[in-house]
């Protein structure tokens, strides 16, 4: 019983809950007008690109139904691309085309679709079926990321991404989101994607969480997902930290994908990042964030901020480990 | 301001004296002629000799069914019609009234000895101008003695000087009238002599010829020596008054079996020392009224008044009936108020029972819900029967509070007269539903005067004090006793019976059966704190304006439900479909009951989700798709309603309460969640939504929150403060403890 209360007390100190996230971090650090910027992918991408942050190339942006008549023309001879809603969330409405089979398009799952079906899908997107607040939306046609072999090896189809929680430009926690069979190629945790915490200092995966419970192996592939060293880790953290300079949202979830050829690319950003990342890492993020709040991070260089993040993260994980040993 | 408006209204109100239309009524045929002898020059006016009058051994009692139907022509201007309706007195009893619901706003208003029924509408649409007012009456004939005393002896008239005054129609002070009265009563000394000579004089006048336009005021009748019933009555009244005998006009109708009439008649009542004695010069009835005379009102008034320039038509349909058929009629009246088809299932849940004692010492109305066992009722009825107490028993057996309240209200409305005329109203329900049901009496402006009301049920005493004050203010009963928490009905009955039969004060009687009553009286109402008193006044006003308190209840309870939802979201951490969808849905639950509410919710969402998945194939755009969902939801709801009627499931009849648009949104959210996050997540959110709805429902239903808010609206301030606190609270939500519980324990596995 005392153990139970001790746990509860610790949770209260270390875990970041929704109420605190909203009141202590979202409201003061994320100015409302910037929400619109990150929620609209083309705008966010332009801002990031302007700041020199690598993003997947946009092929086209379609804004009206009329454009869909020219869809075939726009696509040209491209064999692979991604169709996504400009204001989508949680991977809804994303269609990944990996190849062509004559006139048909091959989806990531291997099934084929016709050009008309693609146009229909785009039409739904334009009508706002996938947008956050169901406003009319735009269609984004962009570069299909090909996963880096290291991460690709531990994911079931689809492209895994690295979610970095950045607070005031300081990366405080990170996890890899692995697609599973249940998540149908998407990296969304709600859909059954797997979250795998990454040690900020070493860039090595630590624990996995699947649907709220801990796991150390991939549910479909059976391979261990712990102890995998993420390539170009330093670079990933730096890019994530730089996003704050491009778009000054204090509390930001940056989704970075690792392309086999182009390296880390920022896929999207989330101004209301979820809190499951704590579960994937096995420790709460609240203390680190409060520490960042006390530091004068505005004067720090990007490298200093990354270093601070790493230091706080290692302290947090060591702290929780030592406490358990004692 | 208000007075001005009324003056204008009065100015445009054109009075039509329908009584003047009583041309062609039958010629007077004096039946009961008192002895009068004439010898030479001297005229001797003998008094009516009691032995000489043909006087039946026992009174004739007749029963009648009368319905007055009015038709108002369509108009875009505000219209009102008011009619004088009969009241019970010693000679006649109005057994029941039936007011057909119409497009008009109905109200009753007592003015002096009369009762006006008033219908108002801001405009009258074509085919919506019908008004019906019906009643059943028991009338007896009356034979009275004219006292052989000199004028001035005896008790003065109870109504004061009005009955001696001169008016436009009854010019009692006109010299011609005075002279004629003096001449006629030169030799008369005693009241009976004066009355007889004046009566005979007025009765001897001829009727005007058909089609002849004559003025019908007293003076004109005197001059023309002819007049209709009203004219003769006015003349008689004028003559009586000029001799210092108080006299008043009575407007009424001569009832005939299976007749359709538009004419009223008038007669006179004179105060002869100790009683009002009727004189009907047109009908030749001296100190006597036949049993088919129905008095409608007192005074020299028109029967009906209405807005000027209103196309208006009315007639009166009457039937003579037997007592048996009247009683049978009452017993057969279905509780729903007429639509016979619904009776079969309604009677399952709602029933009425009436026992009328032959010579009742008192009449009791017993209003209960499902919590009262059958045996108790039987016991009470037997007891009442033994003590020849008339008892009417109204029972609605519903779990759902909303239904109970509604059906009790309907039952009361259908037995309105019985309730209004009873000596004791004994109400016992699980909660305060009975109290609300009685408030309807206030809505109909019934004053109970000396009747006692006992209401038992479990509700906070403070709430009882406020709502009781509202009830007291509205119906002004002789005694209002609230018993909370409820006591066994049998004990309540004994307590009330002791009060009714032996006059034992309720409080005293209550002690014997271990009941803690809360007696509300004038003082309680007056001594409420200032703010609470204005609250009671406000709620009474609302009820008088036909706004049921339940409606205000629902409005006030909404913020509380919203607060519960906030607690669930921010403190417990349960996510739902749409933040405030549960608010609206749980309101719907309040009306259908929890179990059926959940069933209906699931059916609607189920059908919707299936439809929505089917729509996926057709690739229909969002807004159109939502519209299709609304269509599906409404079709489902219509089907559920019809199904409810078919299988007799009352709860399903209230499906329309379910907010269609909100339900459509829940369905759309379900599908979107299903696509984005999987079926499990969607089901989880659905269950969450239902859990929150159920919690809101239970909190409101069980806690009696509705009445608390109604009695103490300041609670809402507390609700707001609580919401501010929750909105500022940064702690972990309860479910987050569960979610993050492993944060601490799992590390060991990794290391």
């Amino acid at each position: 019983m005392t153990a139970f209360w001790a746990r509860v007390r610790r949770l209260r100190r270390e875990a970041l809950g929704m109420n605190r996230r909203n009141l202590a971090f979202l409201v003061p650090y994320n100015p409302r007008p910037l929400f619109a910027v990150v929620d609209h992918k083309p705008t966010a991408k332009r801002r990031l690109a302007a700041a020199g942050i690598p993003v997947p190339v946009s092929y086209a942006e379609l804004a009206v139904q009329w454009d869909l008549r020219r869809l075939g023309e726009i696509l040209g001879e491209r064999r692979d691309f991604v169709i996504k809603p400009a204001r989508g969330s949680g991977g809804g409405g994303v269609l990944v085309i990996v190849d062509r089979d004559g006139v048909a398009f091959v989806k990531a799952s291997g099934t084929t679709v016709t050009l008309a079906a693609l146009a229909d899908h785009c039409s739904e997107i334009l009508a706002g079926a996938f947008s956050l607040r169901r406003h009319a939306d735009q269609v984004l046609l962009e570069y299909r990321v090909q996963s880096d072999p290291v991460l690709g090896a531990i994911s079931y189809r689809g492209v895994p991404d690295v979610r970095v929680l950045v607070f005031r430009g300081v990366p405080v926690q990170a996890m890899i989101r692995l697609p599973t069979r249940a998540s149908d190629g998407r990296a969304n945790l709600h859909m059954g994607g797997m979250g795998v915490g990454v040690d900020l200092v070493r860039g090595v995966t630590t624990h996995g969480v699947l649907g709220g419970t801990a796991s150390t192996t991939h549910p479909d592939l059976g391979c261990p997902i712990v102890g995998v060293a993420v390539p170009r880790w330093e670079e990933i953290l730096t890019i994530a930290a730089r996003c704050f300079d491009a778009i000054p949202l204090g509390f930001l979830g940056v989704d970075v994908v690792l392309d086999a050829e182009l390296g880390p690319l920022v896929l999207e950003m989330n101004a209301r990042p979820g809190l499951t990342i704590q579960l994937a890492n096995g420790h709460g993020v609240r203390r680190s964030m409060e520490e960042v709040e006390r530091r004068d991070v505005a004067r720090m260089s990007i490298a200093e901020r990354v270093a601070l993040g790493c230091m706080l993260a290692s302290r947090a994980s060591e702290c929780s480990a030592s406490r358990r040993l004692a | 301001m208000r007075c001005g408006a009324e003056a204008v209204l009065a100015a445009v109100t054109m009075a039509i004296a329908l009584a003047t239309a009583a041309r062609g009524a039958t010629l007077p045929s004096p039946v009961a002629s008192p002895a009068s002898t004439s010898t030479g020059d001297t005229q001797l006016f003998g008094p009516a000799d009691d032995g000489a009058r043909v006087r039946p051994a026992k009174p004739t009692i007749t029963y009648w069914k009368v319905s007055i139907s009015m038709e108002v022509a369509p108009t875009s201007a505000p219209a009102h019609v008011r009619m004088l309706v009969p009241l019970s007195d010693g000679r006649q009893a109005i057994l029941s009234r039936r007011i057909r619901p119409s497009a008009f706003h109905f109200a009753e208003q007592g003015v002096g000895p009369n009762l006006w029924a008033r219908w108002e509408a801001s405009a009258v649409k074509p085919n919506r101008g019908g008004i019906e007012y019906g009643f059943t009456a028991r009338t007896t004939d009356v034979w009275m003695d004219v006292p052989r005393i000199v004028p001035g002896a005896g008790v003065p008239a109870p109504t004061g000087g009005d009955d001696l005054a001169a008016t436009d129609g009854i010019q009692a002070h006109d010299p011609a009238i005075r002279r004629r009265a003096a001449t006629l009563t030169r030799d008369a000394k005693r009241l009976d002599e004066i009355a007889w000579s004046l009566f005979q004089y007025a009765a001897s006048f001829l009727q005007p010829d058909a089609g002849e336009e004559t003025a019908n005021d007293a003076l004109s009748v005197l001059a023309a020596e002819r007049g209709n019933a009203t004219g003769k009555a006015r003349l008689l009244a004028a003559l009586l008054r000029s001799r210092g005998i108080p006299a008043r006009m009575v407007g009424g109708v001569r009832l005939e079996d299976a007749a359709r009439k538009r004419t009223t008649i008038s007669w006179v009542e004179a105060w002869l020392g100790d009683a009002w004695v009727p004189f009907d010069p047109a009908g030749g009835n001296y100190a006597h009224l036949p049993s088919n005379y129905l008095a409608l009102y007192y005074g020299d008034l028109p029967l009906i008044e209405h807005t000027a320039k209103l196309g208006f038509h009315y007639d009166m349909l009457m039937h003579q009936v037997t007592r048996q058929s009247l009683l049978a009629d009452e017993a057969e009246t279905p509780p729903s108020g007429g639509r016979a088809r619904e009776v079969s299932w309604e009677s399952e849940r709602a029933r009425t029972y009436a026992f009328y004692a032959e010579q009742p010492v008192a009449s009791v109305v017993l209003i209960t819900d499902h919590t009262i066992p059958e045996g108790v009722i039987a016991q009470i009825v037997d007891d009442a029967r033994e003590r020849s107490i008339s008892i009417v028993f109204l029972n609605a057996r519903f779990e759902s509070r909303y239904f109970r309240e509604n059906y009790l209200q309907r039952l009361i409305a259908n037995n309105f007269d019985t309730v209004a005329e009873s000596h004791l109203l004994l109400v016992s329900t699980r909660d305060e539903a009975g109290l609300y049901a009685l408030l309807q009496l206030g809505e109909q402006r019934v004053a109970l005067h000396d009747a006692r009301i006992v209401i038992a049920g479990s509700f906070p005493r403070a709430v009882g004090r406020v709502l009781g004050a509202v009830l007291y203010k509205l119906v002004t009963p002789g005694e209002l006793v609230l018993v909370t928490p409820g006591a066994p009905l049998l004990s309540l009955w004994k307590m009330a019976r002791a009060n009714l039969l032996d006059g034992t004060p309720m409080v005293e009687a209550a002690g014997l059966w271990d009941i803690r009553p809360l007696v509300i009286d004038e003082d309680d109402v007056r001594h409420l704190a200032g703010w609470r008193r204005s609250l009671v006044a406000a709620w009474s006003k609302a009820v008088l304006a036909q706004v049921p308190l339940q409606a205000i209840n629902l409005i006030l309870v909404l913020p509380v439900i919203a607060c519960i939802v906030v607690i669930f979201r921010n403190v417990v951490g349960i996510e739902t479909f749409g933040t405030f969808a549960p608010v609206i849905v749980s309101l719907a639950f309040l009306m259908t009951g929890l179990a059926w509410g959940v069933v209906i919710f699931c059916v609607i969402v189920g059908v919707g989700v299936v439809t929505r998945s089917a729509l996926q194939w057709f690739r229909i755009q969002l807004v159109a798709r939502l519209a299709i969902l609304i269509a599906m939801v409404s079709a489902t709801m219509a089907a559920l309603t019809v199904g409810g009627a078919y299988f007799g499931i009352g709860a399903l009849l209230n499906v329309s309460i379910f907010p269609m648009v909100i339900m459509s949104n829940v369905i759309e959210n379900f599908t979107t969640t299903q696509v984005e996050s999987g079926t499990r997540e969607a089901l989880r959110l659905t269950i969450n939504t239902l859990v929150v709805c159920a919690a809101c429902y239970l909190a409101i239903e069980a806690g009696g929150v509705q009445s608390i808010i109604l009695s103490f609206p300041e609670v809402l301030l507390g609700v707001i403060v609580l919401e501010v606190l929750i909105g500022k609270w940064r702690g972990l939500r309860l479910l987050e403890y569960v979610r993050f519980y492993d944060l601490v324990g799992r590390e060991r596995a990794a290391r």
Side-chain angles (χ1 to χ4, degrees), chain B residues 92-128:
Chain B
Q92 63 187 31
I94 305 305
L95 303 173
S96 69
R97 292 173 200 275
R98 200 152 298 161
I99 300 118
R100 276 275 171 77
S102 66
F104 293 82
H105 173 76
F106 173 78
E108 282 181 316
Q109 188 189 8
V111 179
N114 296 322
L115 181 64
W116 286 99
R118 185 183 163 93
W119 289 268
E120 291 183 291
S122 53
V124 182
K125 289 184 191 148
N127 297 326
R128 301 297 304 277

Side-chain angles (χ1 to χ4, degrees), chain B residues 57-341:
Chain B
K58 69 176 199 178
T60 317
I61 301 175
T62 50
Y63 291 87
W64 302 88
K65 228 172 159 168
V66 180
S67 79
I68 300 159
S69 48
M70 292 170 252
E71 188 61 45
V72 180
T75 170
S76 57
H80 83 254
V81 173
R82 64 174 194 163
M83 178 175 73
L84 285 156
V85 294
L87 289 167
S88 298
D89 60 21
R91 193 182 73 79
Q92 63 187 31
I94 305 305
L95 303 173
S96 69
R97 292 173 200 275
R98 200 152 298 161
I99 300 118
R100 276 275 171 77
S102 66
F104 293 82
H105 173 76
F106 173 78
E108 282 181 316
Q109 188 189 8
V111 179
N114 296 322
L115 181 64
W116 286 99
R118 185 183 163 93
W119 289 268
E120 291 183 291
S122 53
V124 182
K125 289 184 191 148
N127 297 326
R128 301 297 304 277
I131 297 174
E132 255 194 68
Y133 188 92
F135 54 88
T136 53
R138 183 189 64 215
T139 56
T140 50
D141 57 349
V142 62
W143 302 82
M144 292 185 79
D145 300 319
V146 182
R148 294 155 184 253
I149 53 171
V150 291
V155 193
T159 47
D162 285 356
D163 300 311
L164 285 168
T167 65
D168 287 349
I170 305 167
Q171 299 96 331
H173 298 163
D174 190 87
I177 299 269
R178 277 171 184 274
R179 256 199 317 278
R180 182 59 49 92
T183 318
L184 286 169
T185 57
R186 198 181 341 147
D187 300 318
K189 298 279 177 297
R190 301 197 311 259
L191 263 183
D192 56 328
E193 292 165 343
I194 296 171
W196 169 247
S197 25
L198 297 181
F199 170 78
Q200 214 194 20
Y201 176 74
S204 66
F205 280 19
L206 292 178
Q207 285 284 334
D209 297 328
E212 192 184 345
E213 288 291 330
T214 49
N216 276 303
D217 60 285
L219 209 55
S220 312
V221 172
L222 181 72
E225 300 206 315
R226 53 179 60 196
N228 64 14
T230 308
K232 289 179 190 177
R234 283 187 182 140
L235 175 60
L236 179 56
L239 291 171
L240 285 165
R241 286 181 188 179
S242 75
R243 296 295 298 147
I245 299 170
R248 63 180 184 185
M249 299 281 289
V250 184
V253 63
R254 195 181 291 134
L255 298 168
E256 281 170 56
D257 190 18
R260 188 180 280 276
K261 288 196 167 188
R262 299 199 54 212
T263 54
T264 56
I265 55 168
S266 304
W267 61 88
V268 176
E269 280 185 357
W271 181 258
L272 301 182
D274 59 351
W276 287 105
V277 180
F279 297 99
D280 171 29
N285 298 310
Y286 176 77
H288 157 66
L289 282 180
S291 69
N292 65 333
Y293 272 45
L294 179 76
L296 295 175
Y297 55 90
Y298 295 100
D300 199 6
L301 297 166
L303 174 66
I304 296 177
E305 288 179 358
H306 61 69
T307 323
K309 295 188 192 123
L310 191 66
F312 179 77
H313 173 85
Y314 90 106
D315 54 5
M316 223 184 278
L317 194 67
M318 53 198 80
H319 289 279
Q320 187 165 6
V321 291
T322 60
R323 177 170 177 273
Q324 233 63 39
S325 72
L326 266 192
L327 289 181
D329 225 29
E330 243 160 61
E332 271 166 22
T333 307
S336 66
R339 280 170 300 158
R341 271 172 207 286

Side-chain angles (χ1 to χ4, degrees), chain A residues 276-296:
Chain A
T276 318
I277 193 166
Q278 299 177 97
L279 279 178
N281 277 285
H283 54 87
V285 76
R286 181 176 159 193
R287 291 187 154 194
S288 306
M289 292 184 67
E290 282 169 352
E291 183 61 32
V292 171
E293 235 178 349
R294 282 191 286 272
R295 302 286 178 105
D296 184 16

Side-chain angles (χ1 to χ4, degrees), chain A residues 208-223:
Chain A
V209 60
L210 184 68
T213 50
S215 172
T216 50
T217 53
H218 193 282
D220 307 310
L221 305 173
C223 59

Side-chain angles (χ1 to χ4, degrees), chain A residues 4 7 10-12 17-20 23 120 127 134 190-191 207 214 276 278-279 282-283 320-321 324, chain B residues 570 619 621 672 676-678 727-733 736-737 739-741 743-747 750:
Chain A
F4 169 78
R7 260 180 162 189
R10 257 193 82 191
L11 277 182
R12 201 176 288 162
M18 285 295 245
N19 290 334
R20 187 171 299 274
L23 282 173
D120 276 344
R134 307 186 182 283
H190 278 303
M191 291 289 292
H207 334 84
T276 318
Q278 299 177 97
L279 279 178
H283 54 87
S320 60
R324 197 157 305 105
Chain B
N570 280 14
R619 299 179 176 280
Q621 293 199 26
T672 319
E676 281 180 8
S677 320
K728 286 262 168 213
W729 184 61
R730 297 177 175 195
L732 285 178
R733 299 174 181 174
E736 281 174 344
Y737 281 108
R739 184 182 167 199
F740 294 131
Y741 193 65
L743 265 192
V744 195
R746 203 155 40 75
E747 220 159 58

